Amino acid sequence: MDLLYSRYASPFEFMGIYIGQGRFGEFVDNILKMDIRRKRETAQKDDEDKLWLAYIHSMTDKTYTDWRNDLKPEKESVSYAMSDIQVDTVKQQVRGILGKIRPV
C-alpha cells in the first residue's frame, strides 16, 4: 500500500476501477513491475555515480569511457530487485499454495 500512497492521493478509488473490471491481478502485476524497474534504474544510477567518483579520484589520463571499460568486475552488482522471471515464479508458487487451501 505504501507504493500506492506514494503515487496516488486516493489509491482505493484507483484500485476500485480495476477491481470492478476484474483486472486487479493485472493492476498488482503492473505496480510490482514498475517498482522493480524503478529500483533497478536507481541501483544502476548509483553504481554509475560511484564509478564516476572513483574515476575523478583515480587521476588517470584515460577518458571516463575507456577507464570504465578497462574495469573487470569480479562479480555482477548485487541486485535486491526481483527479475520478471523471479516475480512469475513467486506468483506460481503463491497460486500453488492458495490452491491447496480449502475454506472451512
Side-chain angles (χ1 to χ4, degrees), residues 1-12 14-15 27 31:
M1 287 303 292
D2 290 340
L3 290 173
L4 298 177
Y5 277 110
S6 67
R7 294 183 181 188
Y8 306 105
S10 179
F12 292 110
F14 189 64
M15 287 187 309
F27 170 75
I31 292 292

Side-chain angles (χ1 to χ4, degrees), residues 95-102:
R95 286 186 188 115
I97 292 169
L98 291 175
K100 295 177 184 176
I101 298 174
R102 296 186 184 175

Side-chain angles (χ1 to χ4, degrees), residues 7-8 13 42 58 68 82 97:
R7 294 183 181 188
Y8 306 105
E13 290 178 24
T42 301
S58 69
R68 188 182 64 200
M82 293 172 55
I97 292 169

Side-chain angles (χ1 to χ4, degrees), residues 49-94:
D49 290 346
K50 289 174 187 175
L51 283 174
W52 176 252
L53 286 174
Y55 169 72
I56 290 172
H57 294 292
S58 69
M59 301 175 111
T60 183
D61 293 337
K62 297 179 183 179
T63 65
Y64 174 68
T65 305
D66 293 339
W67 179 83
R68 188 182 64 200
N69 290 338
D70 286 345
L71 293 177
K72 305 247 184 200
E74 294 177 18
K75 286 186 175 180
E76 286 292 318
S77 297
V78 176
S79 175
Y80 297 103
M82 293 172 55
S83 69
D84 293 339
I85 295 171
Q86 290 171 323
V87 170
D88 291 337
T89 303
V90 170
K91 284 182 186 178
Q92 290 174 355
Q93 291 172 343
V94 168

Side-chain angles (χ1 to χ4, degrees), residues 13-46:
E13 290 178 24
F14 189 64
M15 287 187 309
I17 295 169
Y18 280 91
I19 292 170
Q21 296 174 349
R23 297 172 46 203
F24 184 68
E26 178 184 339
F27 170 75
V28 171
D29 187 48
N30 287 335
I31 292 292
L32 290 175
K33 284 182 181 177
M34 286 188 304
D35 187 53
I36 289 168
R37 187 175 334 133
R38 182 188 58 79
K39 286 179 181 177
R40 188 177 300 136
E41 289 171 357
T42 301
Q44 288 173 347
K45 184 182 179 312
D46 289 345

